Amino acid sequence: MTRLATPPHHGGLLVVQPLRHRRCAACRRGPLSLLVLEDGAPRCLRCADLGHLVFLRRGDTALTRRSREESTLSAVVVRFNRRKARYERQGVLVEEAALARAEARCLADAEARRRRRARDAKLRAAQDVRFTRAFAAEILRLFPGCPAERALAIATHASVRGSGRVGRSAAGRSLAEGAVVSAVVAGVRHVDTPYDQLLMSGVPRYEARRRIAGTVEAVLRTWEAGVEVRLTG
């Protein structure tokens, strides 16, 4: 019988996934999908008193750790990688009841994480509402003639979380005047002028901005003066 090289291991029980067909040196059962080496000779899990354990494939670190914590008896499963010329971990063998307990712990944690994510999302939504209202209030302070619904629409657009718009910048979050004015200018540009149509017709962006600059300034001056205005074209 060809003897198997014993893989390096630093403590604990070790089980091997053989690359070639092997039979148990004790009971001759085989071919073995898993074996234990005793003095270089293969033993099946039953002969090695590990037959009652179940295999947990690697991949879920938390489940693996908890399964080993819950299991009185466990073993690491390895397989030889010819290309890398080394043994690599494939998973663990643990008691079935221990695996069930570990799975229950992980499911409980997953549910806790889901509930925490829901709470965090609700909190962020409430924060976003408060921030949008504060942003709209600052717009109305700087431009008292701006219709309230327009101020809220501009603030809502500018402050969408993750959008990268001016309302989510550091200046926007601190309600800096420059950031608020920039948001208002952008809102007027897209709603109160033909800017979007100019872009769609092929007019370069800087030229399109030059053409509508007068209209934007007129709206801003009127809003600053405290007079609502609705311009078209």
Side-chain angles (χ1 to χ4, degrees), residues 150-201:
R150 281 296 304 280
L152 183 59
I154 292 170
T156 300
H157 180 79
S159 61
V160 172
R161 186 181 291 269
S163 66
R165 295 170 188 154
V166 65
R168 302 310 304 187
S169 66
R173 291 195 300 272
S174 64
L175 299 179
E177 182 173 326
V180 175
V181 171
S182 293
V184 173
V185 169
V188 171
R189 183 186 296 135
H190 289 288
V191 175
D192 299 290
T193 78
Y195 179 68
D196 292 349
Q197 292 90 328
L198 291 172
L199 293 180
M200 289 297 293
S201 66

Side-chain angles (χ1 to χ4, degrees), residues 81-186:
N81 185 320
R82 288 196 179 103
R83 182 174 61 83
K84 297 180 180 179
R86 70 186 186 196
Y87 279 91
E88 296 180 337
R89 185 169 177 155
Q90 303 301 308
V92 295
L93 291 174
V94 295
E95 296 163 345
E96 189 170 4
L99 177 57
R101 290 192 297 271
E103 288 173 335
R105 289 172 61 186
C106 288
L107 286 174
D109 279 359
E111 176 62 18
R113 288 194 297 271
R114 185 193 66 78
R115 292 180 179 177
R116 184 167 60 248
R117 287 195 297 269
R119 290 195 301 271
D120 290 346
K122 187 175 181 179
L123 177 62
R124 287 193 299 270
Q127 291 172 340
D128 288 347
V129 169
R130 289 194 296 270
F131 175 69
T132 298
R133 288 175 177 170
F135 202 97
E138 186 63 12
I139 291 174
L140 292 175
R141 186 185 72 80
L142 296 173
F143 302 95
C146 176
E149 67 275 11
R150 281 296 304 280
L152 183 59
I154 292 170
T156 300
H157 180 79
S159 61
V160 172
R161 186 181 291 269
S163 66
R165 295 170 188 154
V166 65
R168 302 310 304 187
S169 66
R173 291 195 300 272
S174 64
L175 299 179
E177 182 173 326
V180 175
V181 171
S182 293
V184 173
V185 169

